[in-house]
Amino acid sequence: MNQLEKNETYDNRTFEDIKHIDENGIEYWYARELQKVLDYKEWRKFENVIKKAKEACQF
């Protein structure tokens, strides 16, 4: 069982609750809101995750 299955503190509904939509219908999320949903207590730790995700997308 992975960590998500052990600790079901959020679900798709939570992500839907913090979703924003711009004037063109494009969905987006604020990192500070995602940080809370994903249960990161410190911004610096979550920021490292964001940096790694950006690097992974460049390849």
Side-chain angles (χ1 to χ4, degrees):
M1 181 181 314
N2 66 32
Q3 185 62 28
L4 179 59
E5 291 168 344
K6 288 183 198 173
N7 187 10
E8 291 285 335
T9 58
Y10 59 91
D11 58 19
N12 287 338
R13 179 79 178 133
T14 304
F15 287 101
E16 289 297 312
D17 289 342
I18 65 169
K19 176 175 66 176
H20 301 272
I21 303 174
D22 72 9
E23 64 276 356
N24 297 312
I26 305 297
E27 300 176 353
Y28 64 97
W29 290 260
Y30 288 118
R32 295 283 183 171
E33 293 174 342
L34 281 172
Q35 172 192 355
K36 293 175 185 175
V37 169
L38 296 174
D39 203 29
Y40 280 88
K41 304 292 185 223
E42 298 177 33
W43 172 252
R44 65 183 176 85
K45 291 183 179 180
F46 188 56
E47 190 173 30
N48 287 336
V49 172
I50 294 170
K51 287 178 184 176
K52 288 179 183 178
K54 285 180 178 180
E55 290 171 4
C57 290
Q58 290 179 3
F59 298 107

